[in-house]
Amino acid sequence: MLLISVEERPNDLEADGSHIEDKNGHSKILTRLETVPDIKRDTSGITTQYIATGIVNLGAFASGVCVAWTSSALPLMISGQYETQPARSSDVFTSNNGTHTKIMLTETEASWVASLLCLGALFGAVPSGLISEYFGRKKTLLYLALPLVVSWILVASSPNVYGLYVGRFVSGVAVGAFSVAIPPYIEDIAETNTLPALANFYHVHFAAGVLFGYIIGLVQSASWLSVLCASIPISFFIGFIFLPESPAYLMSQGKFPEAKAALQYFRGIDNDVDSEMKELKEYVRNYGRNKVTFRQLFTSRTTIKPLIVSFGLMIFQQMSGIYPILFYAEKIFKNFAISLNLSSATIILGFCFVTSMYFSTMFLKKFRRRVLLLISFTLMALNLGTLAMFYHLKASNLSAHNTWVPLSTLCIFVSVYAVGAGPIPWLMLREIFAPNVRRRATALTAGFHWFFAFGVTKLYQSLIHLVSPGWTLWHFAVTSLIGTIFVYFFVPETKGRTLKEIHNEFDGIHKRKRHRHVIEVETVSVQ
């Protein structure tokens, strides 16, 4: 709140004002101004939108931590050095002091611990869009903090591998729900000119969470790791509970005064929101009138081709091996026998990931989507191919041990992924689908994304043992190259184009400008 003082007039005293006297003895009254937000007088609302987006994306930050946790935790579990609270089980080894138990996993069990996060995300992503429509964006997001906290308690206190399975699956449900529920809230509160930048906050915070997870991996204690990880969803809950509900949801529930107050909160005290309220009311009315079911997504000509494009991009995004690299970063560096400390190498990898994701906002403003996707998939394939060749040379003793080749190639890989193949498939969902089908199409595509993430992460360890790490990297490289071909032939350009123009390209309709040729004819009179 901002307090201003005005001189007291006999019949103009406010009941809730506070009286003071100035140096001359004149009575004054302190009048409250309802400012937005409380921390400062934000007349434009831009600051409020950025702060709110940063707070809600603590959920994305928590998701990144869940992904990075396995990189440092799984090697400890495989070697039997991961300590949890005491329990009685045949799966644990009691430490000498008797106050902790050590869990020892096989490679197969470790792959389940990693991949069950993605399987849980599949079950959280698909229904979360519908749940947020009925119960509200804010309620849905707030309640997602609970399963994350519970999951970290389970991971810290689990007496055996099955407790880890349950904990990872539960955290995955929240991670998948965050991936679907956060973007609509940001879309509802952001202005048109700030939406592209704010929409990328999700990916930036996710990458920052990965880096944070790698950093806290230096703590070789299950209890402290879980406490640090659980602090993120708790902070999210505390910060987000003070933000208002989405104006669009309040409007859909017929709560017009509350919707206007929420919109005024995000637009600033000096902006007139009446015209935007009319547009919002019309949007909500049209959305409710033209809402489609999941079944209709597969039967309408206007949605089948966009679904194919979005599914295809998610397939090649995941088949490039991004999640196995993030999940098993320490183990991958260990396979290449780098001389650098493994934790330091993963932190460098995470730093490249988050900085590239941050600067991707600038690239998305300046360059076309197709160009960035083509460059991204091509460079990803080249770097994976280079790393695969280096592995074969090292295995054949034709190359000496080198720390910087695997580190630099993987850093370049995650960097070019962050510029194109990472955020653009999610960004294009808002550009290739009509507003009345966007929410359900996003939920379906997100579920497809997490299904392939689960498959690739689970089968990665099997591929390593079956064909060696080198041939596994070749598989990811070839898949990324095929992704480049898919983008070139099937993905339309969406930057700076209307939805109708994009759908016309899907239908094979290319409207060209007609050129008018003017021929001047000189008349000659014959005498």
Side-chain angles (χ1 to χ4, degrees):
M1 294 290 182
L2 181 67
L3 297 177
I4 64 169
S5 59
V6 295
E7 292 189 0
E8 182 186 25
R9 289 175 295 189
N11 298 320
D12 195 27
L13 292 178
E14 306 237 352
D16 61 344
S18 299
H19 297 276
I20 62 172
E21 289 187 357
D22 62 8
K23 294 184 298 184
N24 299 322
H26 297 293
S27 178
K28 292 187 177 182
I29 183 171
L30 291 179
T31 305
R32 293 184 178 272
L33 290 181
E34 297 294 334
T35 59
V36 182
D38 289 338
I39 58 173
K40 64 184 295 187
R41 184 181 174 87
D42 182 20
T43 58
S44 66
I46 301 299
T47 304
T48 307
Q49 293 171 41
Y50 273 86
I51 292 174
T53 303
I55 292 173
V56 71
N57 274 301
L58 285 175
F61 189 92
S63 302
V65 173
C66 292
V67 170
W69 174 83
T70 56
S71 176
S72 57
L74 288 185
L76 296 176
M77 292 179 181
I78 293 172
S79 62
Q81 299 177 15
Y82 189 83
E83 295 184 348
T84 62
Q85 296 300 318
R88 294 180 180 180
S89 175
S90 59
D91 294 336
V92 301
F93 297 86
T94 305
S95 60
N96 294 331
N97 57 18
T99 59
H100 294 83
T101 56
K102 293 183 178 181
I103 297 180
M104 189 170 185
L105 307 182
T106 64
E107 294 283 354
T108 302
E109 290 172 337
S111 69
W112 278 110
V113 171
S115 60
L116 277 173
L117 178 83
C118 301
L119 185 62
L122 166 63
F123 287 93
V126 177
S128 62
L130 295 176
I131 293 173
S132 65
E133 285 186 5
Y134 289 103
F135 295 100
R137 316 268 194 269
K138 181 178 178 179
K139 268 185 191 175
T140 304
L141 288 167
L142 276 177
Y143 290 155
L144 290 176
L146 179 62
L148 273 180
V149 174
V150 170
S151 70
W152 289 120
I153 295 174
L154 287 171
V155 167
S157 60
S158 172
N160 52 45
V161 68
Y162 301 107
L164 292 176
Y165 289 166
V166 175
R168 291 292 286 174
F169 183 86
V170 170
S171 62
V173 172
V175 169
F178 273 134
S179 68
V180 175
I182 289 177
Y185 184 84
I186 297 173
E187 188 176 344
D188 289 344
I189 69 173
E191 296 180 58
T192 305
N193 58 335
T194 61
L195 181 57
L198 296 181
N200 203 41
F201 267 43
Y202 176 89
H203 305 285
V204 175
H205 279 69
F206 180 87
V210 171
L211 174 59
F212 180 77
Y214 289 156
I215 293 173
I216 64 174
L218 296 169
V219 180
Q220 303 291 304
S221 167
S223 300
W224 279 108
L225 265 176
S226 299
V227 168
L228 291 171
C229 293
S231 65
I232 309 302
I234 293 173
S235 302
F236 162 77
F237 184 89
I238 294 173
F240 189 57
I241 198 171
F242 295 104
L243 294 179
E245 178 58 271
S246 156
Y249 172 76
L250 292 172
M251 180 73 74
S252 68
Q253 301 301 304
K255 300 178 179 180
F256 301 112
E258 292 89 342
K260 184 174 182 178
L263 190 61
Q264 191 78 63
Y265 182 93
F266 293 112
R267 295 298 178 264
I269 59 174
D270 289 348
N271 290 333
D272 183 13
V273 297
D274 289 339
S275 60
E276 191 170 353
M277 281 290 292
K278 292 179 182 178
E279 294 175 3
L280 185 60
K281 188 174 182 179
E282 187 66 24
Y283 167 80
V284 171
R285 184 185 294 113
N286 292 334
Y287 179 81
R289 187 185 301 126
N290 302 318
K291 190 161 53 175
V292 300
T293 62
F294 283 107
R295 182 180 178 182
Q296 290 173 322
L297 288 175
F298 295 97
T299 57
S300 173
R301 287 187 58 189
T302 59
T303 56
I304 289 178
K305 288 184 178 180
L307 275 178
I308 292 173
V309 168
S310 60
F311 283 2
L313 288 174
M314 292 301 181
I315 289 174
F316 292 111
Q317 181 198 71
Q318 290 307 308
M319 295 294 284
S320 68
I322 181 62
Y323 274 123
I325 289 173
L326 296 178
F327 275 115
Y328 302 108
E330 272 198 24
K331 187 175 181 181
I332 292 172
F333 286 126
K334 186 177 180 180
N335 288 337
F336 284 93
I338 65 173
S339 59
L340 189 66
N341 179 271
L342 296 178
S343 297
S344 300
T346 57
I347 291 172
I348 293 173
L349 181 71
F351 180 77
C352 292
F353 189 37
V354 69
T355 51
S356 300
M357 196 67 80
Y358 176 80
F359 287 109
S360 68
T361 304
M362 179 183 65
F363 288 107
L364 291 171
K365 288 181 180 179
K366 292 182 176 293
F367 299 101
R368 294 175 179 269
R369 312 280 190 255
R370 273 171 51 88
V371 172
L372 291 175
L373 283 172
L374 289 170
I375 293 174
S376 180
F377 278 116
T378 302
L379 292 180
M380 286 162 62
L382 288 174
N383 279 277
L384 291 171
T386 301
L387 190 58
M389 286 190 292
F390 175 77
Y391 178 85
H392 291 304
L393 291 174
K394 188 177 72 69
S396 304
N397 295 321
L398 297 176
S399 175
H401 293 298
N402 190 305
T403 297
W404 300 110
V405 171
L407 182 59
S408 60
T409 51
L410 286 179
C411 285
I412 296 173
F413 171 81
V414 298
S415 297
V416 295
Y417 169 87
V419 171
I424 290 180
W426 296 97
L427 176 63
M428 291 185 72
L429 294 175
R430 196 174 67 249
E431 298 172 336
I432 63 178
F433 289 105
N436 62 313
V437 302
R438 189 178 300 149
R439 299 285 166 83
R440 281 169 171 75
T442 299
L444 204 60
T445 305
F448 198 75
H449 162 92
W450 289 113
F451 172 76
F452 267 86
F454 165 71
V456 174
T457 306
K458 180 66 184 75
L459 295 176
Y460 173 76
Q461 293 287 0
S462 301
L463 281 174
I464 290 292
H465 293 297
L466 186 65
V467 297
S468 82
W471 288 110
T472 303
L473 290 170
W474 275 120
H475 164 73
F476 292 149
V478 171
T479 305
S480 298
L481 192 60
I482 297 174
T484 304
I485 299 171
F486 175 81
V487 171
Y488 184 82
F489 286 103
F490 297 103
V491 178
E493 181 53 59
T494 58
K495 180 177 172 58
R497 304 180 69 186
T498 64
L499 183 65
K500 185 176 181 180
E501 291 172 340
I502 295 170
H503 281 197
N504 283 341
E505 185 169 346
F506 277 130
D507 296 334
I509 302 174
H510 300 279
K511 293 185 177 180
R512 300 179 182 273
K513 292 183 179 180
R514 295 182 179 179
H515 297 280
R516 180 178 297 175
H517 299 279
V518 179
I519 302 176
E520 293 184 1
V521 179
E522 184 179 354
T523 59
V524 180
S525 58
V526 181
Q527 301 207 353

